[in-house]
Amino acid sequence: MRHRWPTASASIEDTDATVTIAGISHFVHAQTIEEARDNARSLIAAWARHFARPVYATVTDPEGEWTITVSGDGIARDT
C-alpha cells in the first residue's frame, strides 16, 4: 500500500532549500546545491524513520521537478 501522507515537498535553489512536510516548512542553508539536496533528503528521511516507511516528496530544483520516495536510511528513488 502506498501512503501519500504526510505530503512532502522540497524546493531547492542554489544553496537554499525549503522543505515542507505535513504543512510545516523548514528552511535549510548550505554551502553547495549538493549539500542543500542532502539536507532536504535528510529532513524527509527523518519523517520516514518516524513512520517506519518511505515518504513521497515532490522536489523542484534548477534541474527540474520530479516525485521521489525517501526511505528512513535516506535513500531516494524516483517514483
Side-chain angles (χ1 to χ4, degrees), residues 58-78:
T58 302
V59 178
T60 304
D61 76 9
E63 294 182 14
E65 180 178 311
W66 54 95
T67 302
I68 62 172
T69 57
V70 180
S71 63
D73 59 5
I75 296 174
R77 293 182 175 82
D78 290 333

Side-chain angles (χ1 to χ4, degrees), residues 10-76:
S11 177
I12 303 165
E13 293 185 27
D14 297 321
T15 58
D16 295 325
T18 302
V19 179
T20 305
I21 303 170
I24 302 168
S25 294
H26 308 271
F27 178 77
V28 179
H29 181 73
Q31 299 298 315
T32 65
I33 191 166
E34 290 82 11
E35 184 181 339
R37 289 174 178 147
D38 289 343
N39 292 343
R41 187 174 50 252
S42 292
L43 283 169
I44 298 167
W47 280 84
R49 282 189 301 278
H50 174 76
F51 287 109
R53 62 173 167 75
V55 171
Y56 287 81
T58 302
V59 178
T60 304
D61 76 9
E63 294 182 14
E65 180 178 311
W66 54 95
T67 302
I68 62 172
T69 57
V70 180
S71 63
D73 59 5
I75 296 174

